[in-house]
Amino acid sequence: MSEPSVLIVEDEEMVRVALEQWLRLSGFATYVASDAREGLALLDDVHPMVVLSDVRMPGISGLDLLRAIRERATATEVILITGHGDVPMAVEAMRDGAFDFLQKPYVPDQLVKALHRAGEQSRLKREIAELRRRLDGGEIELATRLVGTSPVMVDLRRAVRELAPIPADVILQGETGTGKEVVARCLHDFSPRASGPFVALNCAAIPAELIESELFGHEAGAFTGAKGARIGKFEFANGGTLLLDEIESMPLLAQAKVLRVIQERQVERVGSNRQIQLDVRIIAASKVDLITESEAGRFRADLYYRLNMATLALPPLRDRGDDCVLLFHHFLGAASKRFDKPVPVLHPADVNALLMHAWPGNVRELKAAADRFALGLGSTGRSLDAILGPRNRPASSTASLAERVAAYERHVIEAELARHGDSISAVVDALQVPRRTLSEKMARLGVRR
């Protein structure tokens, strides 16, 4: 059984370097961060089995880092180390979910044993989570991540469930803000690669002269400024999934080299002659039609056909009916919790504003609107009309009366369920409807307790 991967979070450089070297020599796969903020940023990229963190650090402490990791409901275990430890601190750390608490100076063998135990616990958690996903088909979890009851979203979730376990490269096509990275993460998390890394690279954000180094890595001295060796995103994603976002922005020369890497499943760092074997799934995301781009000479047709083992089209929000109200309610609850504010009430005029808005920014725009509404931002307070501004919705896409009524009914029922702790009897009394009528409406509107 392989050693668990470990993320070391330590602000003292000498201690950090010594720990990394020692654990690497002991066979552990290691990653390092100089503070808790950097550690949290790395957490989503490398998915370590264990985080080994100092407690006393400037800014965010190790205890705060522990709480942040636990809030993410990740299977990663946390071991805390301090030179100033005492019984109350250890009790607080264990209460907040720490796997173990060690005091400096610690015995090396004691730390290694703790890492092994924590790694085994993390592995067990991941296996249980994977088993649960397989037992229920991931239906509930997937529905909370790809929210919507419209036919296009039902079809999208079905396609994600079918594609996730298949070792096939995928193209995601959709307008800006439709949730391409969310879908890519679902494809990864519901696949056998879930325990491996998920690495996302926005091709539009990388200068043309650096794109090859970012993708393939480089050796020390490969070019001016390359003082040390660096692994690229392909190598970093080995054993997991690589998302190439806005792939249409990638220079043609780099496209040719990416094509070869995908075909051979081998990568060669810039300045090296050594081939590195790859086991990685490629997901390419684009906001434009790649076949149209290839016909115009802006995208290599051979790369398109190599990637196009499967294509998922992500629908714009304007084509999802009253999903916008369901999503707004979802984001509003999350924003209110995040900002520690009560969930504001949506009135019929607000629901109508949601249904009539054009949503050019799609789900990203809607989430920002929910954040502003939760905070009460806008020229007239909590007014969705003021927050959303001009609607510019095409007349052909205007929501029908039935859609508006259904959206408002769904919102009212969900709000009452939340207010009464999912008690159906209490909601029946509050809304003054027969229990059977409420059950039928919940089933028709897709409302879950």
Side-chain angles (χ1 to χ4, degrees):
M1 186 176 294
S2 60
E3 304 286 12
S5 55
V6 181
L7 171 60
I8 302 166
V9 184
E10 169 63 62
D11 61 314
E12 294 186 28
E13 184 177 4
M14 291 183 63
V15 177
R16 185 171 66 247
V17 171
L19 262 176
E20 181 188 19
Q21 291 177 346
W22 174 49
L23 291 181
R24 278 189 180 275
L25 289 173
S26 300
F28 293 90
T30 59
Y31 309 93
V32 294
S34 58
D35 56 37
R37 196 176 303 279
E38 184 182 352
L40 283 173
L42 271 174
L43 196 68
D44 291 333
D45 288 334
V46 301
H47 297 284
M49 301 180 78
V50 186
V51 169
L52 180 62
S53 175
D54 194 5
V55 170
R56 308 280 185 178
M57 294 185 293
I60 303 174
S61 71
L63 287 174
D64 291 332
L65 173 63
L66 165 66
R67 296 183 188 108
I69 292 173
R70 291 280 73 89
E71 284 176 3
R72 297 185 182 202
T74 173
T76 300
E77 296 294 345
V78 179
I79 297 177
L80 295 174
I81 299 177
T82 183
H84 311 278
D86 53 17
V87 173
M89 182 181 290
V91 170
E92 182 181 2
M94 302 304 284
R95 186 177 64 241
D96 288 339
F99 180 82
D100 208 342
F101 188 95
L102 303 178
Q103 186 172 357
K104 299 175 184 176
Y106 48 81
V107 179
D109 286 346
Q110 180 187 9
L111 176 57
V112 169
K113 289 178 181 178
L115 288 172
H116 280 144
R117 292 196 306 270
E120 188 58 33
Q121 180 74 4
S122 175
R123 186 177 288 110
L124 180 61
K125 283 184 177 180
R126 294 177 190 217
E127 289 175 356
I128 291 173
E130 177 63 23
L131 179 60
R132 284 175 176 167
R133 276 198 292 268
R134 291 179 181 178
L135 286 174
D136 66 13
E139 293 283 352
I140 296 175
E141 184 180 348
L142 194 58
T144 61
R145 295 168 69 172
L146 299 177
V147 178
T149 58
S150 59
V152 288
M153 287 305 294
V154 173
D155 290 343
L156 179 61
R157 286 197 295 270
R158 183 184 303 114
V160 169
R161 286 197 304 273
E162 292 173 353
L163 276 175
I166 301 173
D169 296 333
V170 180
I171 293 176
L172 302 179
Q173 184 178 321
E175 296 176 8
T176 298
T178 50
K180 294 186 286 294
E181 184 166 345
V182 175
V183 173
R185 283 185 177 273
C186 288
L187 287 169
H188 172 78
D189 291 344
F190 289 86
S191 77
R193 298 175 177 273
S195 60
F198 175 88
V199 180
L201 176 69
N202 189 320
C203 301
I206 308 299
E209 62 272 15
L210 296 179
I211 189 75
E212 290 186 28
S213 175
E214 284 291 324
L215 287 169
F216 313 131
H218 62 255
E219 297 292 351
F223 50 83
T224 304
K227 296 180 180 180
R230 184 177 187 275
I231 67 171
K233 291 297 190 284
F234 272 103
E235 191 176 347
F236 197 44
N238 214 357
T241 303
L242 174 62
L243 169 62
L244 297 176
D245 199 6
E246 297 195 63
I247 193 172
E248 72 275 8
S249 303
M250 185 182 292
L252 288 169
L253 180 60
Q255 290 180 28
K257 296 183 178 182
V258 166
L259 173 63
R260 182 172 180 82
V261 170
I262 294 174
Q263 286 176 335
E264 304 296 332
R265 279 327 198 241
Q266 293 181 335
V267 68
E268 185 179 295
R269 294 180 187 172
V270 177
S272 171
N273 294 318
R274 184 171 65 91
Q275 296 288 337
I276 300 169
Q277 295 294 324
L278 293 178
D279 173 23
V280 61
R281 183 185 203 174
I282 311 298
I283 299 178
S286 173
K287 61 179 179 292
V288 296
D289 184 1
L290 291 180
I291 194 66
T292 301
E293 291 295 290
S294 67
E295 290 171 352
R298 293 186 293 266
F299 194 83
R300 291 184 63 102
D302 48 3
L303 177 56
Y304 167 76
Y305 289 120
R306 181 61 186 80
L307 288 168
N308 191 29
M309 299 176 73
T311 296
L312 292 181
L314 276 63
L317 193 53
R318 62 181 175 274
D319 291 345
R320 293 175 53 180
D322 60 2
D323 274 358
C324 60
V325 181
L326 184 64
L327 274 165
F328 192 82
H329 192 277
H330 172 77
F331 289 135
L332 190 60
S336 298
K337 182 178 180 181
R338 188 166 70 252
F339 301 137
D340 193 24
K341 289 183 174 292
V343 180
V345 176
L346 278 180
H347 298 289
D350 298 321
V351 174
N352 187 60
L354 289 171
L355 291 168
M356 294 300 294
H357 190 66
W359 299 115
N362 292 295
V363 179
R364 186 178 293 128
E365 179 190 2
L366 182 128
K367 183 178 183 300
D371 288 348
R372 289 170 60 83
F373 193 70
L375 289 169
L377 301 179
S379 58
T380 56
R382 280 199 176 98
S383 164
L384 266 177
D385 267 326
I387 289 173
L388 297 178
R391 295 166 187 160
N392 299 321
R393 190 180 182 101
S396 60
S397 300
T398 300
S400 67
L401 176 61
E403 287 177 318
R404 300 184 205 184
V405 171
Y408 187 63
E409 283 187 327
R410 180 188 293 118
H411 165 72
V412 169
I413 294 172
E414 288 178 338
E416 289 299 324
L417 282 169
R419 189 161 69 93
H420 294 288
D422 277 346
S423 169
I424 294 294
S425 298
V427 174
V428 164
D429 292 340
L431 297 181
Q432 300 179 27
V433 294
R435 189 184 188 96
R436 180 175 178 179
T437 300
L438 177 63
S439 299
E440 290 174 349
K441 282 184 178 291
M442 288 175 63
R444 178 171 55 84
L445 298 171
V447 176
R448 290 188 175 89
R449 295 172 66 182

